[in-house]
Amino acid sequence: MYVNGQLIFDDRHFRDHHECGVPVQVYWGKEHHDIGYVEHISPSYIKMNNIFYSRKQFTFVSRPGY
């Protein structure tokens, strides 16, 4: 499906991770910010760990097997 460290940005990517229960790591710039499972997807944010992350402000990375 996705390789460890692959950038995810498309709605389809986030839906795949949500449906398959694949963890996503969140970066703010080059700093690790959070890791967890996608709870909700919208055009402007991703909800993980009950926190809303702006898709424009943060970078999302696939972490299968985490």
Side-chain angles (χ1 to χ4, degrees):
M1 175 190 257
Y2 295 89
V3 296
N4 191 27
Q6 182 176 344
L7 292 178
I8 57 173
F9 49 86
D10 191 68
D11 285 347
R12 180 178 47 89
H13 301 160
F14 289 108
R15 276 195 306 273
D16 288 346
H17 282 71
H18 174 71
E19 291 170 2
C20 296
V22 176
V24 173
Q25 189 168 12
V26 181
Y27 285 90
W28 187 17
K30 294 183 180 182
E31 297 283 326
H32 163 80
H33 190 73
D34 198 2
I35 192 164
Y37 298 95
V38 175
E39 299 170 19
H40 185 77
I41 304 158
S42 87
S44 57
Y45 68 85
I46 300 299
K47 182 179 178 188
M48 291 176 36
N49 298 330
N50 212 28
I51 299 170
F52 296 89
Y53 291 102
S54 168
R55 291 173 71 164
K56 291 180 181 177
Q57 183 177 3
F58 292 90
T59 302
F60 302 91
V61 177
S62 182
R63 291 296 184 212
Y66 175 80

